[in-house]
């Protein structure tokens, strides 16, 4: 079956622009996570959705970052007024339920470069 | 605050060697620990997941152990192959949360 997919795979933008990153989780997975991975670092948690609602957004760095999941499936991470420090790989993961025992299945990521 | 450390940061070994990757964490109240593999420019692939009540998990040539009281986990790779070359990430999930806290990874290179 299809895994987690993310589009675009690469995004280059200019400082100050707005970007949207999309995540398609595995069909039927109710939990969805966004992480950000800077060069040479491990992924850092941004936000977790259970269904349509953001259950934990404690990892969002500031109010320029926002994420939605309106129908409980596809999610979009939105970044306003991008800064060079936002350059990173943005990873999406999904899991079948919110049980802590569930493995999280990761997508290939979107590499964002802010010039 | 949970912190995860991985040692060594990079490792280069000849093909066929057995090797051990180390992971330590500061808060022992974890729900589970997971080892991931990441190839350049790719996402993460789950290798092994160890629940807090377990001591080890095995899959093929991989064996992961967990000592929660000392805050340590090891990933043992037997008879390493060039195809094992990748970055290996350790991540822990604390009780009451759903997010993983990752280490910075070990970059492994297996030489043919």
């Amino acid at each position: 079956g299809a895994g987690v997919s993310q589009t675009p795979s690469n995004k280059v933008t200019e400082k100050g622009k707005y970007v949207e990153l999309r995540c398609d989780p595995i069909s039927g997975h109710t939990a969805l996570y966004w992480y950000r991975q800077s060069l040479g670092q491990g992924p850092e948690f941004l936000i977790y959705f259970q269904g349509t609602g953001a259950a934990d957004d404690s990892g969002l760095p500031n109010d320029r970052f926002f994420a939605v999941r309106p129908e409980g499936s596809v999610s979009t991470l939105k970044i306003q007024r991008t800064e060079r420090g936002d350059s990173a790989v943005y990873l999406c993961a999904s899991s079948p339920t919110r049980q802590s025992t569930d493995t999280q299945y990761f997508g290939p990521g979107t590499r964002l470069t802010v010039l | 605050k949970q912190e995860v450390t991985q040692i060594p940061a990079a490792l280069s070994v000849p093909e066929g060697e057995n090797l051990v990757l180390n992971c330590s964490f500061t808060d022992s109240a974890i729900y589970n620990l997971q080892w991931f593999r990441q190839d350049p420019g790719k996402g993460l692939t789950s290798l092994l997941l160890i629940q807090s009540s377990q001591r080890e998990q095995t899959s093929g040539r991989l064996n992961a152990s967990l000592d929660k009281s000392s805050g340590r986990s090891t990933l043992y790779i037997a008879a390493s192959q060039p195809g094992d070359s990748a970055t290996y990430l350790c991540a822990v999930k604390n009780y009451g949360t759903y997010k993983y806290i990752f280490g910075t990874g070990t970059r492994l290179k297996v030489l043919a």
Side-chain angles (χ1 to χ4, degrees):
Chain A
V4 177
S5 62
Q6 293 185 245
T7 54
S9 56
N10 281 285
K11 176 70 176 178
V12 180
T13 190
E14 294 179 344
K15 181 176 178 293
K17 299 291 189 183
Y18 167 84
V19 297
E20 290 189 350
L21 311 179
R22 176 187 169 109
C23 172
D24 278 89
I26 293 172
S27 178
H29 282 195
T30 59
L32 185 146
Y33 312 80
W34 284 98
Y35 292 83
R36 178 168 73 172
Q37 186 174 25
S38 299
L39 191 64
Q41 302 296 312
E44 293 181 311
F45 170 79
L46 295 176
I47 187 169
Y48 154 62
F49 286 91
Q50 179 56 39
T52 61
D56 182 353
D57 65 357
S58 62
L60 294 178
N62 51 59
D63 61 5
R64 294 187 298 105
F65 288 75
F66 189 72
V68 296
R69 195 186 185 198
E71 298 178 355
S73 177
V74 171
S75 176
T76 304
L77 178 65
K78 307 181 181 191
I79 310 174
Q80 297 178 322
R81 305 183 302 281
T82 52
E83 300 177 356
R84 292 195 179 86
D86 298 335
S87 296
V89 175
Y90 290 80
L91 295 165
C92 176
S94 69
S95 59
T97 71
R98 65 176 183 178
Q99 293 297 323
S100 292
T101 52
D102 284 343
T103 297
Q104 293 181 14
Y105 297 86
F106 281 79
T110 293
R111 181 175 298 277
L112 174 66
T113 303
V114 181
L115 302 176
Chain B
K1 178 187 171 186
Q2 180 71 271
E3 293 182 1
V4 181
T5 303
Q6 291 188 246
I7 295 173
L11 182 63
S12 186
V13 300
E15 182 178 7
E17 271 205 9
N18 303 324
L19 55 100
V20 175
L21 308 182
N22 296 291
C23 171
S24 62
F25 45 94
T26 55
D27 183 352
S28 61
I30 65 170
Y31 200 92
N32 63 42
L33 180 146
Q34 194 159 181
W35 283 93
F36 292 89
R37 168 183 173 140
Q38 186 172 33
D39 293 281
K42 306 290 186 182
L44 278 64
T45 301
S46 176
L47 297 173
L48 291 164
L49 184 148
I50 311 177
Q51 302 297 344
S52 62
S53 58
Q54 297 174 324
R55 296 284 293 184
E56 65 177 346
Q57 284 285 340
T58 298
S59 176
R61 294 182 294 109
L62 305 180
N63 175 277
S65 68
L66 174 63
D67 184 343
K68 210 170 63 162
S69 61
S70 67
R72 295 178 188 275
S73 175
T74 61
L75 179 66
Y76 175 82
I77 303 177
S80 58
Q81 303 171 356
D84 295 331
S85 298
T87 295
Y88 290 81
L89 291 158
C90 166
V92 301
K93 185 184 289 185
N94 283 11
Y95 279 104
T97 71
Y98 304 99
K99 63 186 178 185
Y100 275 105
I101 307 296
F102 283 83
T104 53
T106 294
R107 293 187 309 280
L108 172 65
K109 187 167 185 178
V110 181
L111 304 171

